[in-house]
Each structure stands twice: as structure tokens, then as C-alpha cells.
Amino acid sequence: MKRILMLTAAFCVWGTVSQAAKPFNGWSVGAHGGWNQTRADIDLSKIRIGALQLENRNVSINSCLAGLHLDWTKSRANDFLFGIGLNIGYGFGASSGTQTDKKNVVVTPGITANAKVDFEVKRKLYVELSTRLGWNFDNKWALYAILAARTQRSSLTLSTKFDSNGVELTEKNTSNDTIGGFAPGIGFDVHLNDRWSMGAQYKYYFESSSKTKVFKSDTKPIKFNSHDALVKVSYHF
């Protein structure tokens, strides 16, 4: 009888430990941080001053991101994994690029002009919902595809400077907007111990257009796409 009781207790302890050692199942919270590269398509091709023609260009700008996440995952060893998650965070760093830089362009006979247009993006607060579908490899690591949707507050600034025969015209216009988008992606997580895991994710965002002003009277659309790469650390309940 004593041996039976001891075996029963050992079995219960083993079952409890086995249940605890499932980091890819149930609720988890954690922190994440990474890098964002925004590609902005800025079309100024309809703006013309004399013979000075502006252009349509893609500008790549980089910034950082950091935030917190809450995830729910359903899986078991060597089987499919499904999960949903909520990310809340903030973009850091104002990143800028040059859209136009032309020098000594003949506007009219005897008159030349220089033109420079700089573009700046500040990524701010974001909220993201995501789903994950993949495979749990023996409760040691997991590989999955991602489909995510995000909204993010952003500040957009166009700075223009024209210099023609010593006469200088400068202007700076800023607009604040909420940019939405959706992204496919891929990620993996690694089991560190019974409660902790870490992982990495990559997402490519197709984002909505925004608008900003050029010379106050001309409002131009700006189309966005972005690369997001991050690392994450999670605590599993």
C-alpha cells in the first residue's frame, strides 16, 4: 500500500511538471523591441517651377520600436500551433531622407535654381493584432506564419528649399496621421525553461496612404510600406 501511494504521488508530481513545461500553450506576456524601415513613395512629379521639374521617388527611412505583448497559444508537442496576440508599443527616433536634390537647373534663360526636398517620419504609438499558425517541435521550439493588422500614429514633415539667383524660398509642413495596414510575416520561438521563451519575428506591412502639404496649397498623397523585425521575450503562465 505504501508503495502504491508513493507511486501515485510521484505520478502526480511528474504530471504537474510535464504540464508546467509547455511554454507554447496558454497565456503569456512579455516585451519586444526591434527595427522598422519605412519606404515612402512621395510623388511630386506634378510640381513644376519654370523648367524645374520635381519627381516621384521612394525614400527609405529607419527607426526603432519597443513595446509589450499579450499572447494566447494553443498547441502540443509535434503538432500544429495556433495563436493570437496583442502588441502595444511606441516608435523611437525621427528618421529623414532626401526626396529631391537638384542644383543649377535652368529655369529660364540666364536664371538657374537649386531645389531640395527633405522628408521626415516620426513613428509613435501603435496597436497591433496578430494571428500565428505553425508547428510545435517537441515543445522545444516553434515555427509559424503571421498575419497581422496595425494602426500607428505618425508625424510626417516635408521641408522644401528653393534658391534661384540668390533669392531663397523655404517652407516646412507637418501633418499628423494614423496609418493603418496589414502584414504577412514569419517567426519562431525557443523554449528556455518551464516559464520563459524568446523568439524573433519579421513582418512586411502594406500600409495606407497619408497626405502632407507642399507649398501650403498643394496636398500630396504619400504611400507607405514597411519592414518590421523584432526580438521578443515572454513569460508563460
Side-chain angles (χ1 to χ4, degrees):
M1 185 67 179
K2 185 177 179 180
R3 290 182 178 179
I4 294 175
L5 291 174
M6 291 178 65
L7 288 172
T8 303
F11 179 79
C12 292
V13 171
W14 176 84
T16 302
V17 172
S18 298
Q19 186 175 6
K22 291 183 179 180
F24 307 131
N25 195 68
W27 290 96
S28 63
V29 296
H32 60 267
W35 160 82
N36 169 274
Q37 183 184 72
T38 298
R39 293 180 60 85
D41 183 2
I42 311 170
D43 187 0
L44 304 182
S45 59
K46 294 182 180 180
I47 296 181
R48 188 182 184 93
I49 302 177
L52 183 57
Q53 175 72 61
L54 298 188
E55 56 195 6
N56 178 19
R57 274 198 64 208
N58 287 320
V59 180
S60 295
I61 46 185
N62 298 284
S63 61
C64 298
L65 60 92
L68 303 174
H69 56 265
L70 173 66
D71 291 329
W72 177 82
T73 307
K74 182 66 175 178
S75 74
R76 58 185 180 182
N78 300 311
D79 205 342
F80 284 104
L81 174 148
F82 172 76
I84 57 175
L86 171 67
N87 295 348
I88 299 176
Y90 204 87
F92 296 93
S95 186
S96 60
T98 298
Q99 200 277 346
T100 298
D101 191 3
K102 293 187 175 183
K103 296 181 179 180
N104 299 320
V105 177
V106 177
V107 179
T108 58
I111 299 178
T112 60
N114 303 322
K116 188 173 185 181
V117 180
D118 291 323
F119 181 69
E120 181 184 76
V121 173
K122 291 183 181 179
R123 294 279 190 168
K124 300 180 181 180
L125 180 69
Y126 63 84
V127 177
E128 179 184 69
L129 292 172
S130 65
T131 60
R132 290 168 285 124
L133 180 63
W135 191 263
N136 178 340
F137 293 88
D138 200 28
N139 276 334
K140 294 180 180 179
W141 66 286
L143 180 67
Y144 49 84
I146 302 170
L147 184 61
R150 179 181 68 191
T151 61
Q152 185 169 25
R153 290 291 293 172
S154 298
S155 174
L156 319 170
T157 301
L158 270 180
S159 301
T160 58
K161 180 179 179 180
F162 289 87
D163 182 357
S164 179
N165 287 27
V167 179
E168 187 176 287
L169 170 65
T170 61
E171 189 172 306
K172 187 175 183 179
N173 291 293
T174 300
S175 61
N176 294 294
D177 204 354
T178 299
I179 299 173
F182 70 94
I186 190 170
F188 71 90
D189 293 329
V190 177
H191 176 198
L192 300 177
N193 55 41
D194 290 349
R195 294 295 183 184
W196 292 93
S197 71
M198 69 178 301
Q201 295 181 352
Y202 167 78
K203 286 165 281 189
Y204 183 78
Y205 261 97
F206 299 91
E207 298 182 289
S208 59
S209 298
S210 184
K211 293 182 178 181
T212 192
K213 291 183 178 181
V214 184
F215 305 123
K216 292 186 173 27
S217 58
D218 294 318
T219 301
K220 298 297 179 182
I222 301 173
K223 297 179 181 178
F224 292 99
N225 293 308
S226 67
H227 301 271
D228 276 25
L230 61 86
V231 293
K232 55 185 294 190
V233 177
S234 302
Y235 176 82
H236 300 261
F237 294 97

